Amino acid sequence: MTTQHSLESFNQRGIGTLPGYLGIEITEIGHQSMTAQLPIKPHLLAPNGYLHAGSVVTLADTAAGYACIANLPEGAQSFTTIELKSNHFSTAREGTIVAVANVVHMGRTTQVWDVKVTDKSNGKTIALFRCTQMILYPKQASA
């Protein structure tokens, strides 16, 4: 892992953007995996008092996106999400939720990541998330 792909660099990346504003923290970079967590604060709840699904999806999407960045193929410059799906099974009102992203497909033009989001205090599954990303390469100069 290079300095470019350190916990500190990924956590710095989120400052001033949605992951940073929400309080997402990258806690582990594994081999083709990424772990992130999000402390539950009142602004992450829906008006009904439960964790907003968008908060869960943002955590999962961030873990998958950062995992993609850490595993870009040689010559790739970035990525963009082309599809995501989330199934929600439970919720939390306090504590911390954790997202673990694991690779399903690591191609030259696409990557697919599965993310399991759990309640850190009891390990209960909050959501399962799948994300497909298109790998972006620099444009070739016209002759």
Side-chain angles (χ1 to χ4, degrees):
M1 174 176 41
T2 66
T3 305
Q4 174 187 1
H5 294 9
S6 68
L7 290 176
E8 181 181 353
S9 69
F10 277 114
N11 286 312
Q12 287 291 313
R13 176 183 285 273
I15 293 174
T17 63
L18 186 59
Y21 284 118
L22 291 186
I24 293 172
E25 177 190 8
I26 303 304
T27 59
E28 185 178 338
I29 304 168
H31 176 67
Q32 299 181 348
S33 69
M34 181 77 59
T35 304
Q37 66 181 18
L38 177 62
I40 299 170
K41 304 288 184 195
H43 66 273
L44 299 175
L45 304 177
N48 65 4
Y50 292 104
L51 188 58
H52 195 290
S55 299
V56 176
V57 169
T58 301
L59 173 63
D61 191 49
T62 299
Y66 286 13
C68 183
I69 291 167
N71 290 280
L72 286 173
E74 186 175 332
Q77 137 183 332
S78 191
F79 76 96
T80 189
T81 300
I82 56 176
E83 183 180 43
L84 56 83
K85 179 187 185 322
S86 184
N87 291 95
H88 298 258
F89 307 108
S90 186
T91 191
R93 294 180 187 214
E94 58 186 22
T96 299
I97 56 174
V98 176
V100 179
N102 287 291
V103 71
V104 175
H105 168 72
M106 183 88 55
R108 181 158 166 69
T109 58
T110 60
Q111 290 185 9
V112 178
W113 294 85
D114 278 351
V115 183
K116 184 176 183 180
V117 180
T118 59
D119 184 322
K120 188 175 183 176
S121 69
N122 59 23
K124 188 173 187 177
T125 300
I126 302 276
L128 296 176
F129 174 92
R130 176 167 276 188
C131 183
T132 303
Q133 294 134 333
M134 180 173 62
I135 307 303
L136 303 175
Y137 292 88
K139 291 186 179 193
Q140 300 295 324
S142 298

